[in-house]
Amino acid sequence: MTIQPALPALAAALLFGASTPLAKLLVGDVSPLLLAGLLYLGSGLGLCVLLALRSLRIARRQSQELRIPRAEWPWLLGAIVFGGVLGPALLMLGLAQTSAASASLLLNVEGVLTAVIAWWVFKENADRQLVLGMLAIVLGGVLLAWEPGGLGFSRGGLFILGACLCWAIDNNLTRKVSSNDAMLVAGLKGLLAGVSNTALALASGAVLPTMGVWGASMLVGFLGYGLSLTLFVVALRTLGTARTGAYFSVAPLFGVVIALLLWPGLPGPLFWVAAALMAVGVWLHVRERHEHAHTHEVLEHSHTHRHDAHHQHAHSFAWSGQGAHAHPHRHEVLTHKHPHYPDIHHRHVHPH
């Protein structure tokens, strides 16, 4: 279709890709579990500040309420447990025992597991082109991080694989709440996960680091986890889980590019092969055209929207008829045909 819907996912990958090598630098000065807590605390607190500033700047008379519907809390809590508590803790434990190259290589498994769960468990549609695109991106990530003789089947590697599985589950659960305010979802995940991991670490005897290390951890968490997760939730809302996971899998490439900008050097031949494979994978996803006759069932929810083919409803409040706005609204049964992604309005079953 176009590259525009993929931009939030690619921006999320850029921020997260930059955070991983920085976390590797910090893990020697902070216990792994405590570092996971500080990263997520930085994410949650930073997003809370942004939410407060946004509420002061924007009149919220017609904006979405800052709340999560009660029926969706189990999905969010599940995402927090898997993605905010278990996943980061396992990653930090793995980083403490694994080389940076091996860790980056193993982290590519997250995209594969995310797509597999989305396709098999949540029945998200996929065709041959999307699968080939995913394989190209993952193979590019493998080549990008390949270190001959450097990857062993170690305990650290098992921890990182466990983190990938936790995040894959988290990604699919977060999709269930992606119609809500993305910054609120990411902020709640950051706060609850940060408090949990920090409390567990301190209860286990961990000691708070110096103010400089503490501040650096919080800043890395805000950028690489908070803003990244906010953009990831936006992408889930518009692209679905598997496609968002595929775009997010280019994070290692962004990490290498940023490292080359900070510490100039000539990349090896594998870098160019990996970059080409990832570019092909993204291109295969961008050129997707999924179109068929489909029926929208009755749906009631609230999210930011403009009036288009899917949003033709009356308002109980004064509205100018222009611009995006948010309020609870109802979708009636609608059958039509147009190109679409598995976004929050197109989560229908596909006949095989």
Side-chain angles (χ1 to χ4, degrees):
M1 298 180 193
T2 65
I3 189 65
Q4 185 174 357
L7 292 179
L10 292 172
L14 171 62
L15 289 168
F16 185 74
S19 74
T20 301
L22 296 176
K24 174 67 177 177
L25 293 175
L26 292 168
V27 78
D29 300 315
V30 191
S31 72
L33 188 58
L34 180 58
L35 179 56
L38 292 177
L39 288 170
Y40 270 94
L41 274 179
S43 164
L45 292 175
L47 292 178
C48 283
V49 171
L50 288 185
L51 283 169
L53 292 175
R54 191 184 68 181
S55 66
L56 292 174
R57 184 175 61 88
I58 300 176
R60 306 198 59 84
R61 181 164 50 96
Q62 296 179 8
S63 297
Q64 185 176 6
E65 294 181 11
L66 285 178
R67 59 180 293 272
I68 305 294
R70 181 179 301 177
E72 297 182 11
W73 268 101
W75 299 112
L76 179 59
L77 291 176
I80 290 171
V81 170
F82 282 100
V85 179
L86 298 178
L90 290 171
L91 175 63
M92 296 306 129
L93 288 171
L95 286 176
Q97 305 175 48
T98 311
S99 70
S102 297
S104 297
L105 174 57
L106 289 168
L107 284 172
N108 284 285
V109 176
E110 178 190 345
V112 177
L113 294 176
T114 295
V116 168
I117 294 173
W119 291 334
W120 287 3
V121 178
F122 292 95
K123 308 303 180 184
E124 197 170 289
N125 72 290
D127 57 26
R128 184 179 302 174
Q129 179 174 293
L130 289 175
V131 175
L132 289 175
M134 169 65 81
L135 291 176
I137 292 172
V138 172
L139 181 57
V142 169
L143 293 178
L144 189 67
W146 181 254
E147 185 180 78
L151 180 62
F153 198 65
S154 64
R155 185 172 63 173
L158 290 176
F159 282 137
I160 294 176
L161 288 176
C164 290
L165 177 59
C166 288
W167 278 326
I169 296 172
D170 166 30
N171 294 338
N172 281 276
L173 296 180
T174 300
R175 184 199 180 194
K176 293 289 189 177
V177 297
S178 61
S179 63
N180 296 288
D181 189 292
M183 196 177 293
L184 175 63
V185 171
L188 287 172
K189 290 180 70 174
L191 280 179
L192 294 177
V195 169
S196 299
N197 279 323
T198 301
L200 287 173
L202 294 177
S204 301
V207 179
L208 286 173
T210 63
M211 184 62 70
V213 174
W214 178 84
S217 301
M218 300 276 279
L219 179 60
V220 170
F222 170 62
L223 296 173
Y225 287 66
L227 293 184
S228 176
L229 180 55
T230 300
L231 292 166
F232 190 88
V233 173
V234 172
L236 287 174
R237 182 187 303 163
T238 57
L239 294 174
T241 314
R243 290 158 182 79
T244 301
Y247 288 123
F248 195 72
S249 294
V250 305
L253 178 63
F254 287 133
V256 172
V257 171
I258 291 171
L260 290 174
L261 291 175
L262 295 175
W263 301 283
L266 184 64
L270 285 182
F271 169 82
W272 301 109
V273 177
L277 282 169
M278 288 186 166
V280 168
V282 170
W283 175 74
L284 285 171
H285 277 253
V286 169
R287 71 187 294 269
E288 173 197 11
R289 185 177 178 84
H290 180 72
E291 181 176 2
H292 61 92
H294 56 278
T295 299
H296 297 266
E297 302 296 337
V298 173
L299 173 65
E300 294 185 12
H301 61 178
S302 176
H303 64 95
T304 301
H305 62 277
R306 297 176 183 271
H307 279 207
D308 53 22
H310 297 94
H311 296 90
Q312 297 295 328
H313 49 254
H315 295 86
S316 59
F317 54 85
W319 180 58
S320 65
Q322 301 295 323
H325 59 296
H327 62 91
H329 56 277
R330 176 184 174 91
H331 295 268
E332 302 296 342
V333 174
L334 172 67
T335 300
H336 60 177
K337 179 180 179 180
H338 65 95
H340 60 277
Y341 294 107
D343 57 29
I344 58 175
H345 296 107
H346 296 91
R347 296 178 179 174
H348 46 256
V349 177
H350 292 77
H352 295 286

